[in-house]
């Protein structure tokens, strides 16, 4: 489970064309990094797949099910937004319980990531008092809580200290090894190189290029992914 297909997806905000007949296939059981400059359409693409944004045209399917016809598919998805927005007056523990309650009759929950991130001492504090890093940890725990088949992680390590960042990346690699489909965005190319199998680079609402991390680095003659991507972008612009 976890195959995602996007066909001729278009989305406009006023006069701004954010997605322009975008075509994408995300392979199940792999980690795909969606990259691009600010305003390239990364977040709009992710929110369209999640059903949080309604595109003007095009189709999205998750395991053959058309997004928009039935929200049930979202029960198999974990989402970690770049900025966590939850009721500020609730404690982190109350937020976790609220999400469980909203799921109705949820499957077994998994708090092991919270334990690994040493979040227990923060759970009974109001969310508004938590540091940015601890808010990020709560968001990570919520994304993994119901053992989802598909994970969308938007800048997952932003604001985390090095130990917590390494812990979260280890968990992402573990989930990938167990066959989960992972889509992430990140501005940290060393992180992308460590976690991702495939890079999708968006520019002006379309895919500028899509390739495996190994192929990007290997064919470029560069020493790392960041320089390989810079070379690919420069070559396309010059051409």
């Amino acid at each position: 489970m976890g195959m995602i297909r996007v066909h001729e997806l278009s989305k406009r905000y006023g006069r701004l064309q954010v997605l322009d007949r975008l075509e994408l296939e995300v392979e199940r059981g792999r980690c795909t990094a969606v990259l691009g400059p600010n305003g390239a359409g990364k977040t709009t693409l992710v929110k369209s797949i999640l059903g949080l944004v309604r595109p003007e045209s095009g189709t999205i399917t998750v395991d053959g099910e058309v997004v928009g016809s039935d929200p049930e598919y979202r029960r198999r998805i974990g989402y970690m937004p770049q900025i966590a927005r939850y009721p500020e007056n609730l404690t982190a523990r109350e937020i976790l319980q609220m999400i469980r309650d909203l799921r109705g009759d949820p499957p077994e929950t998994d708090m092991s990531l919270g334990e690994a991130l040493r979040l227990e001492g923060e759970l009974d504090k109001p969310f508004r008092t938590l540091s940015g890093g601890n808010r990020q940890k709560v968001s990570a725990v919520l994304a993994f809580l119901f053992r989802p088949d598909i994970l969308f992680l938007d800048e997952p390590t932003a604001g985390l200290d090095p130990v917590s960042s390494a812990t979260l990346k280890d968990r992402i690699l573990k989930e990938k090894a167990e066959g989960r489909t992972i889509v992430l965005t990140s501005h940290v190319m060393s992180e992308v190189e460590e976690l991702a199998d495939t890079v999708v680079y968006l520019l002006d609402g379309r895919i500028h290029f899509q390739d495996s991390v190994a192929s990007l680095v290997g064919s470029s003659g560069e020493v790392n992914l960041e320089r390989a991507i810079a070379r690919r972008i420069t070559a396309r612009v010059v051409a």
Side-chain angles (χ1 to χ4, degrees):
M1 302 174 75
M3 175 68 76
I4 301 168
R5 288 191 172 92
V6 177
H7 177 60
E8 293 205 343
L9 195 69
S10 293
K11 176 63 179 177
R12 178 187 295 273
Y13 293 109
R15 299 177 64 182
L16 179 64
Q17 188 76 46
V18 181
L19 299 176
D20 185 11
R21 292 170 292 167
L22 188 143
E23 297 276 347
L24 174 65
E25 184 171 298
V26 176
E27 296 182 61
R28 61 168 54 91
R30 295 172 69 80
C31 181
T32 299
V34 179
L35 310 180
N38 292 333
K42 303 185 295 296
T43 298
T44 299
L45 171 61
V46 169
K47 288 187 174 182
S48 296
I49 297 171
L50 290 169
L52 301 176
V53 165
R54 186 184 296 275
E56 271 81 41
S57 61
T59 58
I60 303 168
T61 59
V62 177
D63 289 331
E65 183 177 341
V66 178
V67 170
S69 59
D70 186 346
E72 184 66 20
Y73 78 97
R74 278 187 273 179
R75 295 175 70 89
R76 298 186 286 110
I77 295 176
Y79 175 43
M80 182 180 178
Q82 183 176 358
I83 300 174
R85 300 188 188 280
Y86 303 107
E88 296 281 325
N89 60 311
L90 298 183
T91 66
R93 195 183 304 278
E94 288 170 337
I95 291 169
L96 288 164
Q97 187 58 52
M98 178 185 72
I99 299 301
R100 290 189 185 100
D101 292 343
L102 288 172
R103 287 290 295 261
D105 184 20
E108 180 185 355
T109 55
D110 181 4
M111 279 294 294
S112 60
L113 181 58
E115 295 166 7
L117 291 170
R118 300 182 179 180
L119 191 57
E120 180 62 34
E122 306 296 319
L123 290 180
D124 293 312
K125 298 178 181 179
F127 194 71
R128 67 175 178 274
T129 68
L130 297 183
S131 67
N134 283 327
R135 287 174 176 238
Q136 192 78 340
K137 291 178 185 180
V138 172
S139 186
V141 170
L142 286 167
F144 288 84
L145 188 61
F146 299 110
R147 303 178 185 273
D149 298 318
I150 304 170
L151 285 156
F152 284 91
L153 309 173
D154 194 353
E155 302 285 348
T157 63
L160 293 182
D161 63 86
V163 173
S164 298
S165 177
T167 298
L168 179 54
K169 288 190 286 186
D170 285 345
R171 180 58 180 266
I172 294 169
L173 290 170
K174 177 178 180 292
E175 296 293 326
K176 183 174 72 167
E178 292 179 357
R180 270 67 171 186
T181 300
I182 300 166
V183 179
L184 67 85
T185 69
S186 178
H187 285 92
V188 183
M189 290 304 99
S190 59
E191 177 174 289
V192 173
E193 192 164 6
E194 183 178 355
L195 299 175
D197 302 294
T198 302
V199 167
V200 173
Y201 195 90
L202 296 188
L203 191 64
D204 297 328
R206 289 190 173 188
I207 294 178
H208 195 49
F209 61 83
Q210 179 175 350
D211 210 342
S212 71
V213 171
S215 178
L216 275 169
V217 176
S219 64
S220 69
E222 298 289 353
V223 296
N224 57 40
L225 181 62
E226 182 173 50
R227 290 184 176 276
I229 288 176
R231 178 182 283 270
R232 177 72 69 91
I233 294 169
T234 302
R236 289 289 295 270
V237 170
V238 171

